[in-house]
Amino acid sequence: MEKTLSIVKPDGVKKKVIGEVIRRFEQNGLRIAAMKMLKIAKDEAKGFYIVHKERPFYESLTHFMSEGPIVVMVIEGENVIHRVRELMGATNPKDAAPGTIRADFGSDIEHNIVHGSDSKESASFEIPYFFPYIEIH
Ligand code: UDP
Ligand code: MG
């Protein structure tokens, strides 16, 4: 069964929407296979977002991702990578479809509440970045 990595970002934790994000995943038939809260260091955020290292937002994004606790989870389901991305909505909350997590709770293109792997290749890098095999159920 396909798996993806999702993160409730520091802004989502501050806005108290951890439960709402999880509820949307579960209500859409997806299964939480692993979950924990942690605060990552700037270098750990930089490693996670290494694909974006040349982008102008890399510094700001990795600062933001390390400024408060996050909730990381592995979600499992059929076509889960695509389905989580659909529930999240577009990167910029202004462009996100009504009823998506980012449209409902995001503030701006950086502070957009939630992360989800964008491909099988990304998921297979991102899941073990946070979870050893024995923590995925
Ligand atoms: N981001 C940003 N400015 C941008 C594009 C992205 O601050 O112009 C941030 C935003 O938090 C986004 C993350 O960087 O979620 C990763 O960007 P990506 O293009 O991978 O978007 P996503 O896959 O999260 O929709
Ligand atoms: Mg992405």
Side-chain angles (χ1 to χ4, degrees):
M1 187 71 83
E2 191 173 275
K3 291 183 179 66
T4 194
L5 186 91
S6 182
I7 305 178
V8 181
K9 297 182 180 185
D11 57 332
V13 174
K14 278 181 202 134
K15 287 184 174 172
K16 303 191 177 78
V17 294
I18 300 167
E20 177 62 18
V21 171
I22 294 169
R23 189 189 69 78
R24 289 181 186 210
F25 292 156
E26 289 191 331
Q27 258 181 346
N28 281 276
L30 305 176
R31 190 180 75 80
I32 310 296
M35 178 163 67
K36 59 192 171 190
M37 178 183 264
L38 68 166
K39 188 169 181 291
I40 57 175
K42 176 100 178 273
D43 281 349
E44 293 162 345
K46 284 181 154 180
F48 181 76
Y49 279 117
I50 195 74
V51 292
H52 292 316
K53 69 176 189 305
E54 309 296 346
R55 309 288 290 277
F57 58 83
Y58 185 59
E59 269 303 312
S60 175
L61 169 64
T62 54
H63 172 79
F64 158 57
M65 288 300 289
S66 57
E67 76 187 356
I70 59 176
V71 175
V72 291
M73 51 197 141
V74 176
I75 320 287
E76 185 185 71
E78 229 166 85
N79 201 20
V80 68
I81 294 171
H82 175 76
R83 286 165 69 194
V84 164
R85 300 278 304 181
E86 292 257 302
L87 292 169
M88 285 164 47
T91 307
N92 191 337
K94 283 199 210 82
D95 303 329
T100 61
I101 294 166
R102 285 167 163 174
D104 287 348
F105 306 112
S107 306
D108 56 63
I109 193 164
E110 180 174 86
H111 304 93
N112 59 8
I113 304 288
V114 74
H115 168 85
S117 307
D118 67 1
S119 63
K120 282 188 204 285
E121 294 67 40
S122 303
S124 57
F125 168 74
E126 293 176 358
I127 292 170
Y129 197 84
F130 286 108
F131 295 98
Y133 178 78
I134 55 166
E135 289 184 14
I136 302 167
H137 307 286

